Structure formats: C-alpha cells, structure tokens
Amino acid sequence: MTPMQAIQSATVSAAELLGLPDKIGRLAPGCYADLIAVRGDPLADVTVLEQVDFVMKGGRVTKNNLTTEAPERID
C-alpha cells in the first residue's frame, strides 16, 4: 500500500464505510473536519505521521507544537 492509499483508507474510505462520505473524510464546504499538521511530506515519508505537531478537533486547537511567532516583515 502506498502512503497515499494508507491516508485515503483512514479518511475517504473510512467515511464511505461509515456511510458518511458527504460529511467526513475530506476537506470541503459543509463537511466536518479534524486536522493535523506534521513536519514533512507524508507522501514521501509516511512515518512523519508518527510525530503530529498540530491537532484541530471540532474546530478547537487541542495540540500546537508549531512555532507561533510571526515571520519578520520584509517591505
């Protein structure tokens, strides 16, 4: 199974099995969305998903290990 197939099985395919493909499993208007952020490209290295730096669940940030400082402004 490729990294993309693994991610899809945990999102899109799971939503279809639950009978909720119009509400969960994808990022689209009108859908529920829980989000994670990782450092790196999970399609290049799926193991980056083992180190989740940011979690948003139900519209609330529940974990944030990312830098929150604004970058310097360059005019």
Side-chain angles (χ1 to χ4, degrees), residues 3-32:
M4 177 61 91
Q5 289 169 326
I7 293 166
Q8 288 175 326
S9 72
T11 56
V12 178
S13 298
E16 290 171 356
L17 288 171
L18 291 170
L20 298 169
D22 294 334
K23 292 288 178 196
I24 63 172
R26 60 195 177 109
L27 293 176
C31 290
Y32 298 104

Side-chain angles (χ1 to χ4, degrees), residues 3 23 36 40 45-47 56 60 63-64 68 73:
K23 292 288 178 196
I36 66 165
D45 178 12
V46 74
T47 64
M56 181 179 283
R60 301 184 87 173
K63 180 179 183 178
N64 187 358
T68 56
R73 184 176 174 152

Side-chain angles (χ1 to χ4, degrees), residues 2 9-10 22 25-26 30-32 35 37 46 52 57 61 65-66 69:
T2 67
S9 72
D22 294 334
R26 60 195 177 109
C31 290
Y32 298 104
L35 305 172
V46 74
V52 176
K57 171 87 175 128
V61 175
N65 292 342
L66 300 174
E69 295 177 17

